Amino acid sequence: MDIYILQIFNGISVSSIFMLAALGLAITFGLMKIINMAHGEFIMIGAYAAYIVQNFFTQYLPASFFNWYFFIAIPIAFLLAASIGWVLERIIICHLYGRALDSMLATWGVSIVLQQLARSIFGAPNVDVKSPNWLNGALLLSPGLQLPYKRLFIMGMVIICMLIIYYLMYCSNYGRKIRAVMQNRDMAASLGINTRKIDSYTFAFGSGLAGIAGCALTLLGSIGPTLGTGYIVNTFMVVVLGGVGSLWGTIAGGLLIGTGNTTLEFLTNTTSGKVLVFTLVILFLQWRPQGLFTVHSRSLDE
Amino acid sequence: MNTILEIKDLIISFDGFYAVNNVNTKINKGEIRFFIGPNGAGKTTLLDAICGRIKPQHGSIIFNNNKNVLHYAEHELVNIGIGRKFQVPSVFTSLSVYENMEISVVKNRGIFSAIFNNITKSQREKINTILELVDLFDYRYRKASELSHGQKQWLEIAMLLVQDLQLILLDEPVAGMGRKETTKTGELLQKIAAHCTVIVVEHDMQFVREYASMVTVLHEGAVLDEGSVNHIQNNPKVIDVYLGRGGENCA
Amino acid sequence: MLKIKNLQAYYGESIILKNIDLNVQEGRIVCLLGRNGVGKSTFLKSIMGMVCTPHGSICLENKELINEPTYTRARSGIGYVPQGRDIFPQMTVAENLRLGLEINNGIGKISPKIYELFPVLKEMLTRKGGNLSGGQQQQLAIARALVSHPKLLILDEPTEGIQPSIIQDIGKVILLLKKEGYTILIVEQYLEFILNIADDYYVMDKGEIIAQGLVSKMDKEEIQHKIAI
Amino acid sequence: MFVKKFIKAPANWTFLIIILSLLAAPLFLSVFRINLLGKFISYAILAIGIDLIWGYTGILSLGHGVFFGLGAYAMGMYLKLEAAHGKLPDFMSWSGLEHLPAIWAPFSNPLSLLFIIIIPALLAAVIGYLTFKNRIRGVYFSILSQALSLIFVVLFIGQQAYTGGTNGLTSFQTIFGLSLAADNTKYILYYASILFLILVYTYCRFIVNHRIGKILIAIRDGENRVRFSGYNPTIYKIFVYISSAAIAGIAGAIFVPQVGIISPAEMGIVPSIEMVIWVAIGGRGTLIGAVIGAILVNGLKSGISESFPEIWSYFLGLTFIVVVIFMPEGLVGLVKKYASHLFTWHNKKEKIIQKAPSIN
Amino acid sequence: MQIRFLRKMKKKTALAMAALFVSSAFLSGCAGTQASNSNNDKNTIKVGVLHSLSGTMAISEVSVKDAEMMAIDEINAKGGVLGKKIEVVTEDGASDPAVFAEKAKKLLQQDKVATVFGCWTSASRKAVLPVFENNHGLLWYPVQYEGMESSPNIFYTGAAPNQQIVPAVDWLLKNKGKKFFLIGSDYVFPRTANKIIKAELKAKGGTLVGEEYTPMGHTDYSTIINKIKNEKPDVVFNTLNGDSNVAFFKQLKDAGINTKDLITCSVSIAEEEVRGIGAGNMAGQLVSWNYYQTTDTPENKTFVKNYKAKYGQDRVTDDPIEAAYDAVYLWAAAVEKAGSTDVDKVKAAAKGLEFNAPEGKVKIEGENQHLWKTVRIGEVQADGSIKEVWSTPGPVRPDPYLKTYDWAKGLAN
């Protein structure tokens, strides 16, 4: 019995990781229609940010502080990824609005450069990010049923991130401006909104979310220059399956692909699980090309 | 029997909003029929339904007494004789004017014919005649993207003409045209009507007055009135919602 | 208040406006008449900086705007109600209204007067903008432009495609605004509507101003002929 | 008629020059470089196919590595069986197979080389039928095709006993009895590659010069208009997708004997995107641009990675960015523009209005 | 705006022209290098170093390249080989087998190098193997691998299965338990290794309770760990590669599995990888290799000291690094012995050649060109170092086809 409960937990946990990785994309791709192939590299930047913060703590601060480094690492990861995203938007992305397919190719170049940059700065081998002690261990429900704190923490982070995004997008001035710009750029500008500024902030925000995802992923996986490549197709599939431009879609897409992956992996094996999930997603999209949650948007259709 | 198109009990709704609500009308052969009405009255939606872009919830559209348009795929309509021009000129901008026509003139639209058959001499002559008609003959080797707005509109009309259609749907053909161009388009319409029936959605009342044989006024998805221009102009209800726009009474 | 000199405007490489001169004096309602497609909307867009304007000058209260981006123009006090209203369809009426405050950086409150002018909006605050009828959208668009108390209000065909009763309402609102000292520039092709509300008129054809004067002294027949639809 | 047309276009002249210089290349270059050039030619063939579907029809497929890989594997299976001399290929015995699997059996026959075209074409037909019929296009199609290449890579790696897993197929000895190691064979393969380049280019030129080419461009410019002109765009899209996939298969088959290996690494997402970028750099929608782009980019990649093995990825990445942003028409577009500046004295006024005035 | 647009266009074209220039310069550049690459000139001997410096495999291969460079520098500092300095041509395999093949051809045909040190993955080795055989080149391959191969043109300085996997399984069966769970990345080495292990388990009374493969770069092991928990094995034999190990061990620890209930033994994790995984996540787990940084020989002390001095105190040495280092010295010794860099002469001279490597004495087995190596099982310590817990009394004879093991009959065909 325990094994099945644990499997459900795993499914949700994997889903939460996909969601976290896809949230930033839901903004840059979903709202701005920029196919950012360098999204995975922003995840990587977030992971390295955690590494930098960790090293700072071990070198310059007393050991007792170490346990709390992660709370510093998350905002730093966000800020670092966001500022690099901002610069990128100002230099490169700004030329690519309305050229979705081109944006894909150009950001691919960006991704190559960022990977090599990471290799030059941090070296090719993986680096180690120690998780704080309070995240080690697991919530013991029964001897066979242990829910790792790290996974619970990531789930919590996803929920918090969603709430923040929801608040920002739907309850704040800033979000209103973003939505206005994305729905009707000219009209937004003639209401006094600086659309260029909104563009770059929005892209930076999306990149920053990827940074947070990267920071969280250090708890579970490796930290190296190619960290992001493993996530890129998955995250795109999450966004497309959910419906481009819909936050709910991203959640639903993440949940479907995540639980689908773990369930099929459990029933068959990892390779078949992966192949099956993607095949099913492709078939599903034949039936509903716009994804689960349809948002009427013109820019991607034609 | 000279009805070419009969619309029966047509209902189209999007998410509970009735864009077209129980429209009934008959269009006779050789007519130039205008659909007018304020924005959102359902004119373009109606055109979309006639050419198969939108599937209505209810009702039928009968072409030539026996063909229910709704049973055909969009690309099959040309074969039974219905063609459409869009509101925004949609010619193939990276092809030359002549190539645009070439694509339209061919009757066999299968892929093998497209690979192996070039157009025949008679088809070439036909293209030239029609290009002369719309004054684009001298531009035939230009890229369509280099044409002026009005010329693009004419090219699109020419592309319809060359297809030997029985019914042509035009969505705001004179929008964005100057008066001279508008007049020319109107004359063109009259020439076209000699061979086939034309349905036009238009705002420009002067244009409507000059060229319409019949006018259907749509309002909030339903037919408000139908008849000759004169008849329409004197209907107080029509004046109210459209022509007069009620300005006199303000203040 | 608004002085426009020698304005040219392009779409891509085609010239739409040739050397337009136009003045709007403070507290007056100015109307620009013209047929479909003569460049009226383009003219308003060029005031807002949405089209290419390589030549000319646009002065609002002696401040040159020609090189400013759209949002600074709006922020210097122009409230713009575009043709087709351009409501943000997926936002609620309240959100649409709040966006009007962006001209003041989103600070401030929506004065209750707005709801006095447009009582219908108050009932619909939580409805999605896209679900309103055309007339309601038009009212919302005007209200949105008014929440920031602009120095100059620009209306692009406020009567187009709108049912008569609401056109009357809008006409009343415009007159009310005039009483309060608002300066307004209206583009119309519908003569009857402006006869009762405007002070000055301009007539545009083919991207040029072909007639201008006081509405009170206007030869209605002649103008009607010029802008005949 | 066709010959006349062929001679007229400057693109074809350029192609002729490229072919002539490729033919003459063995006079100047070492066998190694010729071999390398042969690989680039296989890439050029692939790029022509991509240009047909992307440049002309506007469909961006990021899964062409799969078709390339399928063609290459078909060739590889044939070569592998030739090398095994009737025995079980080496990797199968490590993987525990005792008999030749049924899907391998036909490949002992040279006729099976037809599979190089048939398999990619069939796959393209199925996928194309589904996606195009359901009107999946633009970005959605690109992302789906990306998922496709991911699926195939995972599948090929997972079925080690049948595909050689990550190692792929390698250790070929002979092709039609000729030793692959011999210089002469390399020259023969090189010239065969050029022959196929000519064939594929001519095929695609034939397509784009005929009415179908115009219909493809029309689909790119306005699919709806095409539909209302009475054409069924789905069929045309499927056709061009199949053509492009078959061409990719041929390219893969040419690649294998010259490089000596095909592994899943050649069919993944990364190579698939790179293929598209060759076309972008050369100039899409020109065919000749695809040839130039593929040869130039790969030449650069080899050249720079030899000279600066540690930092060549920077060059690669930056080139992609610069080309996509600043030269959307690619090198060919650039040359065209300069050529028109040099050779024509068109007055500015001649440039006719591009966009419509606003519809008031 | 229009004017601005035109100005922009000019800038764009200027930029594009610059790009063109650069590219043509490079093209001519590589044609130029080709001309000068006639052969080893009088005072130097050219050797190739071929590893992935970019792509996913760069993680492991860069430090192996570093070790080779260090050995070459050391030899050059002592006067080189045959009185000539060694000149290195470095190439990037870019983690792509086809690129490896291309670069191998380039090194052999274009640069005419005397030998090549390189490769890591089986895929890259398999890709270059025909190139070396056809061009009669010489490759020194420094990584443990799945065996079943013995090319006359390759020297294998890493462990064959019987010098790593077979003794490890034997030891685990005796000391840790009979129930085995096999987990590996989905590629040739794990699949072949597991085939050997399964045969060995069958012969020696072990039981197999599970076997799982994950795609390269897989990052979520929760489901597999769940399966492991369910099967309750004594030993998880781990042949995962690269990044996946990090995810596996981090998640294994979180799942509340400790080394008392279940021990893992890994054959692809050395000190370098332990750093990436985090020593804390792996403390107490077992690994099997021929060399550790802690291996107690005088040669190793200087080797570790020099390596750290050259590349930084935070760097570590490990088995493949050491094997790569050995390879250069072995080649140099063979060349000195042969008095020539000719491949056949070097091969002949290499037969039976002995070398006091950091791992202790190694010897080239003439029959299959593998090394005699000492097998060591180690336990990962909390500080990231690996403590030897068991070792063979002396170097073990390499047996890539496992011909000397009865239970392995039929494995190699």
Side-chain angles (χ1 to χ4, degrees), chain E residues 291 295-306 325 355-361:
Chain E
Y291 164 89
T295 298
D296 192 18
T297 65
E299 288 82 8
N300 189 32
K301 289 206 174 72
T302 28
F303 171 62
V304 173
K305 201 183 81 198
N306 290 344
Y325 178 81
F355 172 60
N356 281 326
E359 69 177 79
K361 185 167 280 181

Side-chain angles (χ1 to χ4, degrees), chain A residues 177 179-180 187 192 194, chain C residues 71 75 91 95 102-103 144:
Chain A
K177 282 194 248 183
R179 283 182 295 143
M187 190 59 229
N194 184 346
Chain C
Y71 74 96
R75 288 179 170 213
M91 292 196 204
E95 284 180 316
E102 283 307 326
I103 286 181
R144 185 178 60 187

Side-chain angles (χ1 to χ4, degrees), chain E residues 150 152 155 347-348 350-353 363-372 397-398:
Chain E
S150 161
F155 280 92
K347 273 171 63 181
K351 245 173 223 179
L353 200 67
K363 190 172 97 184
I364 295 177
E365 170 60 47
E367 187 191 316
N368 51 34
Q369 302 191 152
H370 287 58
L371 288 189
W372 289 66
R397 188 177 184 278

Side-chain angles (χ1 to χ4, degrees), chain E residues 92-103:
Chain E
D92 178 13
S95 312
D96 179 344
V99 176
F100 268 96
E102 175 198 325
K103 298 301 185 192

Side-chain angles (χ1 to χ4, degrees), chain B residues 178 206 240 244-245 247 249, chain C residues 159-160 164 167-168 190 206 229:
Chain B
Q206 189 186 346
D240 221 27
R245 287 208 252 173
N249 311 326
Chain C
T159 65
E160 194 205 18
I167 292 184
Q168 287 180 28
Y190 175 37
K206 292 281 159 215
I229 39 174

Side-chain angles (χ1 to χ4, degrees), chain D residues 337-356:
Chain D
K337 204 166 67 196
Y338 266 82
S340 69
H341 272 291
L342 284 176
F343 299 118
T344 58
W345 284 270
H346 272 301
N347 213 325
K348 261 258 131 200
K349 279 174 200 159
E350 278 262 294
K351 285 206 168 172
I352 300 180
I353 306 162
Q354 286 219 325
K355 257 195 178 168

Side-chain angles (χ1 to χ4, degrees), chain D residues 9 18 62 107 202 210 225 273 350:
Chain D
I18 290 176
L62 294 181
F107 286 91
T202 317
H210 275 69
R225 180 72 256 172
I273 294 182
E350 278 262 294

